[in-house]
Amino acid sequence: MAGASGAAFVFKSGTYPGPENQVAFDTNALGAAADGSIWLTSSGDLYSYSRETAAFTDMAFSTAPMSKQTGVVQYVAPVDYQHVYFLTNDSSSGAAGPVGISYYQQSGVTQLAALLNGDVPAAITAGADGTLWAVGSQGIYVQEAGGWTTQTAPPGTLTMVSVGSATFALARVSDDGADAIYEWNGTAWSPFTAVPAGGVTWVSACADGSCWTATATGLMVMLSDGVTTESFPYAN
């Protein structure tokens, strides 16, 4: 399979070793960045895969500011191997508490401001350029230098959104009972018809314009040329 540039694409499979801590095998969220870095949450902690040691590192112990972060990490949105956004639920009191969004980098952790109008984030997605979107019950929000701004939503009932960059995002919606995928080009939404929307349960936008989709039968990737695709059926 070749991309738009003519270079061959090679798909490889393998297994990443999990955290060495036996208590930390209950992975509840996992994310991959464009540079190939892997981030996951397990037992409420945040882990990053190290290529040097071929193991996951618990960021709560490797970074002092991270150890001061309160709340259980429930969702990760990686940017690259040094930067990741994550969603926490402060359950220090023994019950579900405020949900917040934080930004991790090697110099420390920054707690982001709350969403507008008191909305509560249910999911976050980030692109390789650092673009961050959050989805709440009242709509979509974009993190900018001055704080959060509202983002127009595609028509229909939003079920998920994935950001590749500031100028490429994909949203899966239910429109009049039918599944549909919409594309954000930096200024407006439009129907995304490059891949079939029927039966799609998950969609992921990449910074180079390529995308992944999942159905009940397997995964499919469409490269940035908008033509080349490859399917990966699930084993029976």
Side-chain angles (χ1 to χ4, degrees), residues 71-72 89-98:
V72 177
N89 188 323
D90 187 359
S91 56
S92 57
S93 61

Side-chain angles (χ1 to χ4, degrees), residues 206-227:
C206 302
D208 63 354
S210 60
C211 71
W212 289 80
T213 56
T215 65
T217 58
L219 299 172
M220 186 184 77
V221 61
M222 185 196 73
L223 301 183
S224 56
D225 60 8
V227 177

Side-chain angles (χ1 to χ4, degrees), residues 11-214:
F11 292 93
K12 299 181 180 180
S13 61
T15 302
Y16 278 102
E20 294 181 1
N21 186 342
Q22 292 292 331
V23 181
F25 278 173
D26 57 336
T27 301
N28 56 10
L30 183 147
D35 63 355
S37 57
I38 305 292
W39 294 78
L40 62 82
T41 66
S42 185
S43 293
D45 290 332
L46 180 67
Y47 290 85
S48 175
Y49 183 77
S50 169
R51 298 177 182 177
E52 288 74 20
T53 62
F56 282 92
T57 301
D58 189 341
M59 308 312 293
F61 296 101
S62 65
T63 305
M66 185 65 198
S67 64
K68 300 176 183 178
Q69 178 67 36
T70 60
V72 177
V73 180
Q74 296 182 320
Y75 204 101
V76 290
V79 176
D80 55 35
Y81 78 102
Q82 292 182 321
H83 308 86
V84 62
Y85 294 97
F86 57 95
L87 196 65
T88 59
N89 188 323
D90 187 359
S91 56
S92 57
S93 61
V99 176
I101 302 174
S102 297
Y103 175 62
Y104 169 87
Q105 54 186 335
Q106 289 188 320
S107 60
V109 175
T110 302
Q111 181 79 30
L112 302 187
L115 298 183
L116 301 176
N117 303 316
D119 203 355
V120 178
I124 54 176
T125 176
D129 59 358
T131 299
L132 174 68
W133 287 17
V135 178
S137 61
Q138 301 176 33
I140 304 174
Y141 305 86
V142 179
Q143 172 69 15
E144 297 181 343
W148 295 102
T149 60
T150 56
Q151 173 66 279
T152 57
T157 302
L158 182 69
T159 57
M160 74 162 297
V161 62
S162 174
V163 173
S165 67
T167 57
F168 180 56
L170 295 174
R172 177 178 173 267
V173 303
S174 176
D175 194 3
D176 291 331
D179 293 329
I181 300 174
Y182 281 82
E183 175 186 3
W184 173 260
N185 62 7
T187 57
W189 293 98
S190 62
F192 185 72
T193 57
V195 296
V200 169
T201 58
W202 173 84
V203 62
S204 179
C206 302
D208 63 354
S210 60
C211 71
W212 289 80
T213 56

